[in-house]
Amino acid sequence: MVYVKASEREEQIIAAAVTVLGDVGVPATTLRGVAAEAGVPLGTLQYVFPTKDQLLRAVLTRVIHDISEALRAGLELDKGVEHALRQGVSSFWDKLVGNHVGLQIMQYELMTYSLRNEAGSLAQLQYESYGSVVTQFCEQAAQAAGERCAVGFDTLGRLALALIDGLILQYIARPDAARARRDLDQALDMLVLFADPQPVARSATRR
């Protein structure tokens, strides 16, 4: 048997889990099914991820990482908050939404599965992490560009997530790419107006 590093084995299993979750949904996904998709013995999978909950958390961690990477693709933080929102959200949509409806459905299934089966702890982690990703890169962009916003960055992150989430659900229900892009652009206009990024006065920056 060819030796595979533990980190590579873990990634192999997570990738298989994403495939199975997309094909059959969260409730029907089993460790045995993921092991078969990954081409590893069930015992090997259970050594890496003893429970389904641990595997789902690993999948969610992978998804959050991918979202963060997509949001930051092509981002120039010193161009400020407006650029960060427009570039980041557009990049995320192009990379992870437009041609990946199954991936988005899987994430909503993870949330509802968590709410029904384990008191919502995974769903709480999921949405706090999504909002945090937006919050962090907007705050970093403001600092890099010497800007301040009219609202707190945590509030901006949550409302940005709410708008994008709603558009994704509508796109899943009716995948109309042209309509989705128009709506996304208008949602970004709203977010920029709400954030109202402005240069910080020089005297304020020296405090």
Side-chain angles (χ1 to χ4, degrees):
M1 181 179 292
V2 177
Y3 172 75
V4 178
K5 293 181 180 178
S7 58
E8 293 177 3
R9 181 71 77 195
E10 183 174 318
E11 285 300 311
Q12 177 186 359
I13 292 170
I14 292 172
V18 170
T19 299
V20 176
L21 287 163
D23 288 345
V24 305
V26 175
T29 293
T30 63
L31 295 183
R32 188 177 300 278
V34 174
E37 177 67 28
V40 301
L42 178 60
T44 298
L45 185 147
Q46 290 177 317
Y47 177 78
V48 181
F49 298 109
T51 67
K52 181 177 178 178
D53 179 67
Q54 288 175 300
L55 178 58
L56 293 179
R57 286 178 180 273
V59 167
L60 180 58
T61 298
R62 166 76 172 274
V63 169
I64 292 167
H65 174 269
D66 290 346
I67 290 173
S68 181
E69 290 293 303
L71 283 168
R72 293 176 181 277
L75 206 61
E76 297 176 62
L77 290 176
D78 59 358
K79 288 190 174 182
V81 175
E82 179 173 355
H83 167 77
L85 282 169
R86 294 188 187 280
Q87 173 64 31
V89 174
S90 296
S91 174
F92 159 74
W93 191 280
D94 292 341
K95 292 177 181 295
L96 296 178
V97 180
N99 295 316
H100 298 279
V101 169
L103 175 65
Q104 298 305 319
I105 293 173
M106 179 196 77
Q107 292 177 70
Y108 290 114
E109 284 190 333
L110 280 173
M111 178 190 67
T112 55
Y113 174 85
S114 169
L115 292 172
R116 289 190 177 277
N117 293 279
E118 41 131 300
S121 62
L122 187 63
Q124 181 178 343
L125 170 65
Q126 185 177 3
Y127 272 79
E128 286 182 351
S129 297
Y130 292 166
S132 178
V133 168
V134 181
T135 296
Q136 288 175 10
F137 83 81
C138 284
E139 187 168 9
Q140 289 167 359
Q143 291 173 349
E147 292 179 339
R148 56 90 181 147
C149 287
V151 296
F153 292 105
D154 55 343
T155 300
L156 181 60
R158 288 194 303 272
L159 291 180
L161 175 59
L163 279 173
I164 298 164
D165 225 19
L167 292 177
I168 291 173
L169 282 169
Q170 293 180 66
Y171 182 70
I172 290 172
R174 181 188 168 197
D176 184 329
R179 183 200 65 185
R181 176 54 67 176
R182 288 195 303 271
D183 290 348
L184 183 65
D185 288 342
Q186 290 181 336
L188 289 169
D189 288 343
M190 292 168 59
L191 283 173
V192 171
L193 285 172
F194 179 68
D196 189 24
Q198 298 290 333
V200 176
R202 286 183 179 273
S203 58
T205 61
R206 289 197 295 265
R207 290 176 184 172

